[in-house]
Amino acid sequence: MLHYQIKEASKKQGWLTLVLLHAFPFSSDMWENERKVFSGYAKVLTPDLPGFGGSPRLDEVSIANMAEEVRHLLDHLKIEEPVVIGGLSMGGYVALEFYNRYPGRVRGLMLFATRAGADSRETRETRFKTIREIEQNGLDAFAEKTVFKMVGKTTAVLKPGTVQGIKQSMLASKEQGVTDALRAMAERADLTDLLGAVMCPTLILAGEEDGIIPPEEAAAMENKIPMAEMYRIPRVGHLINLENPEMFTALVESFLMTAIYKYSKQEMTHKSF
Ligand code: MLT
């Protein structure tokens, strides 16, 4: 069973469950601010994906099996109502795969700094090279090399404390979890054909300075998903919520208010909205 951090909604009107899936190579710790902010009106469930945080690794790790683990967790917690599920980057791959398997359990989808397509041959080869490097040299060299690709150039220059915190989080991961996830991402399915069949409100966010998954990928998804809305966030790279928490939470809140609560039978009555 996946380890998770959960924050119950502080108001009894908070009937909605929000599931947030973390990026690679982090854990549910990356949603600390979101647990605090969104629990004003929703139950916020943030699992550690297999091999990260407190979750055990899987014998057969894949993005599909990660989505299955999320489903097991919802069953275990008896969350039967459809949820709003969102993920950043690798978390987005899992969220989309979850929708692919269980569309009836999804009320809304949130895709942050992610893509629907599979890896190119070149990207796949780079992932396997990275696995070999991590096995030889450990995570230190990997974190050193990767951290500045994770953030935008604005964050790199103006927010050294944020960059340092991100690096520490990378180093807190287990080597085996990291290499498992690299393999899982390299072998994931192409879900581009699913996009036209996504029949729930969908929020897509992209950082203008994202060098890992450029905003064009987000625009391509927006064009295909019927009920999608997309925002490009300036001066932000790949780790949108860590680089500009205020903008991130404002956009998610606005999506929840206009696309989810407004069209749901149960009214959201929390005063701050
Ligand atoms: C992530 O942030 O989850 C990863 O960078 C995604 C990827 O490498 O495809």
Side-chain angles (χ1 to χ4, degrees):
M1 184 63 58
L2 294 181
H3 176 263
Y4 58 92
Q5 301 190 62
I6 193 164
K7 191 123 169 64
E8 294 293 336
S10 56
K11 300 277 165 187
K12 68 174 184 305
Q13 293 92 339
W15 48 270
L16 181 71
T17 299
L18 195 58
V19 181
L20 295 173
L21 304 174
H22 64 82
F24 165 91
F26 301 98
S27 73
S28 57
D29 284 350
M30 78 174 283
W31 301 119
E32 189 186 349
N33 181 52
E34 287 69 23
R35 278 190 297 275
K36 223 176 292 158
V37 174
F38 300 142
S39 61
Y41 50 89
K43 179 195 293 226
V44 188
L45 173 63
T46 59
D48 290 330
L49 291 170
F52 292 98
S55 288
R57 58 184 293 258
L58 295 176
D59 288 339
E60 274 183 50
V61 74
S62 65
I63 296 298
N65 286 344
M66 290 188 194
E68 283 303 318
E69 289 298 308
V70 173
R71 202 260 307 162
H72 286 313
L73 180 61
L74 291 178
D75 289 349
H76 171 75
L77 296 171
K78 300 198 175 5
I79 297 172
E80 282 150 18
E81 272 281 307
V83 300
V84 172
I85 187 165
L88 198 142
S89 202
M90 178 178 78
Y93 305 156
V94 181
L96 200 54
E97 184 58 58
F98 184 89
Y99 184 87
N100 187 29
R101 287 162 181 255
Y102 305 108
R105 297 189 76 164
V106 180
R107 185 185 294 272
L109 192 57
M110 301 192 294
L111 302 171
F112 312 127
T114 194
R115 56 159 63 96
D119 277 0
S120 64
R121 212 178 78 188
E122 195 190 349
T123 306
R124 208 171 296 143
E125 280 164 10
T126 308
R127 293 211 201 265
F128 286 110
K129 185 164 164 260
T130 307
I131 292 173
R132 289 193 295 276
E133 284 170 2
I134 293 174
E135 285 168 350
Q136 278 163 19
N137 310 320
L139 282 181
D140 281 7
F142 166 72
E144 191 68 48
K145 188 168 135 185
T146 316
V147 68
F148 283 102
K149 293 187 187 154
M150 289 273 176
V151 298
K153 59 181 190 301
T154 307
T155 301
V157 172
L158 297 182
K159 298 186 174 177
T162 301
V163 178
Q164 203 45 39
I166 290 168
K167 191 169 160 199
Q168 290 312 320
S169 303
M170 294 171 88
L171 290 172
S173 293
K174 291 180 220 68
E175 210 174 291
Q176 181 90 61
V178 173
T179 52
D180 279 355
L182 282 164
R183 222 167 266 122
M185 289 192 287
E187 285 157 6
R188 74 186 190 278
D190 187 336
L191 293 182
T192 309
D193 286 348
L194 170 70
L195 298 178
V198 172
M199 290 301 158
C200 65
T202 302
L203 174 67
I204 301 174
L205 300 183
E208 287 280 9
E209 298 179 359
D210 190 341
I212 295 183
I213 302 186
E216 290 66 37
E217 296 273 0
M221 292 196 293
E222 188 208 8
N223 284 336
K224 294 203 167 83
I225 299 178
M227 280 185 276
E229 61 185 85
M230 177 198 158
Y231 301 92
R232 295 168 73 120
I233 307 177
R235 294 177 292 283
V236 157
H238 192 56
L239 297 175
I240 306 173
N241 70 314
L242 301 179
E243 294 181 61
N244 191 338
E246 297 80 14
M247 179 72 92
F248 180 84
T249 51
L251 288 168
V252 171
E253 280 178 356
S254 152
F255 170 73
L256 294 175
M257 292 310 113
T258 57
I260 305 294
Y261 283 117
K262 200 169 158 192
Y263 295 103
S264 299
K265 285 195 205 93
Q266 291 134 298
E267 282 296 310
M268 214 296 298
T269 54
H270 190 275
K271 285 198 177 55
S272 49
F273 297 94

